[in-house]
Amino acid sequence: MRCPFCGHEETQVKDSRPHEDGAAIRRRRICASCGQRFTTIERVQLRDLVVIKADGRRVPFERDKLARSVKIALRKRPVDAERIERIVNGLVRHLEATGETDIPSRDIGRQVMETLREIDSVAYIRFASVHWDFRETKDFADILGTISASVSGDAGEDFPPPGPKNKD
């Protein structure tokens, strides 16, 4: 592991422990050259996932981009950072468990929305407004009506509001 401070190639592991409910390993390291200490986190990667965008482009899956999107949706909501990390880990494990290496971005968005819907309706609406590319207030009213109907038991499971397009 290269030292982030001086770039030296040799570092020594001082401590290793499970991280994120065993889904990763946290390692404390020390540089053999400059003596600086730093932490690395290693995660198991079952396969290289590729995201297929709406326009047909193929891009490598980025866990950090998924985590950033979930964090933005949950910003200033009563969900702690540890739970957000578990949510992201669960989403990534679900994507890897499908057995597919090529995953359409709309499927990733749908999975994130299903997860957020169970956790926080405000975060769900925030994420949906970007995923479905809301253009006007009517789009928000449609989804709010759907959420209200689902709370009262009148809505179905899959409920994208009419009108907005999926934006990748």
Side-chain angles (χ1 to χ4, degrees):
M1 173 68 60
R2 182 185 306 261
C3 174
F5 300 103
C6 70
H8 189 69
E9 294 282 335
E10 292 183 37
T11 59
Q12 183 179 15
V13 175
K14 288 295 184 186
D15 179 46
S16 292
R17 62 182 63 180
H19 187 65
E20 299 169 4
D21 297 333
I25 296 175
R26 179 182 180 271
R27 297 193 194 278
R28 287 292 296 155
R29 297 178 178 267
I30 186 167
C31 177
S33 176
C34 69
Q36 291 286 335
R37 293 174 182 260
F38 59 99
T39 301
T40 60
I41 297 176
E42 300 173 17
R43 289 183 180 82
V44 173
Q45 182 176 342
L46 297 177
R47 57 183 51 91
D48 288 332
L49 299 176
V50 175
V51 178
I52 302 172
K53 300 293 206 170
D55 63 5
R57 286 180 300 128
R58 299 165 54 87
V59 297
F61 173 77
E62 295 179 43
R63 183 190 187 283
D64 290 340
K65 184 176 179 182
L66 175 66
R68 193 170 42 253
S69 298
V70 171
K71 286 176 186 174
I72 289 170
L74 287 165
R75 183 177 291 152
K76 295 188 179 181
R77 301 302 302 156
V79 180
D80 63 21
E82 186 177 304
R83 183 157 185 217
I84 292 171
E85 196 60 34
R86 285 194 312 265
I87 291 165
V88 172
N89 286 339
L91 289 165
V92 171
R93 277 193 297 260
H94 182 272
L95 293 172
E96 290 176 336
T98 64
E100 299 293 323
T101 55
D102 296 350
I103 303 171
S105 59
R106 70 179 175 280
D107 291 350
I108 296 171
R110 188 177 305 122
Q111 184 66 38
V112 172
M113 285 192 299
E114 287 174 14
T115 302
L116 289 175
R117 182 171 181 239
E118 296 170 8
I119 294 167
D120 187 280
S121 59
V122 172
Y124 167 76
I125 292 168
R126 286 176 177 169
F127 189 89
S129 70
V130 174
H131 182 67
W132 284 325
D133 194 19
F134 286 6
R135 300 278 184 194
E136 52 192 61
T137 56
K138 178 187 173 299
D139 299 332
F140 285 96
D142 290 343
I143 197 169
L144 287 171
T146 305
I147 288 174
S148 297
S150 69
V151 168
S152 65
D154 296 336
E157 287 296 311
D158 199 17
F159 52 86
K165 298 174 186 162
N166 177 16
K167 183 183 99 178
D168 293 317

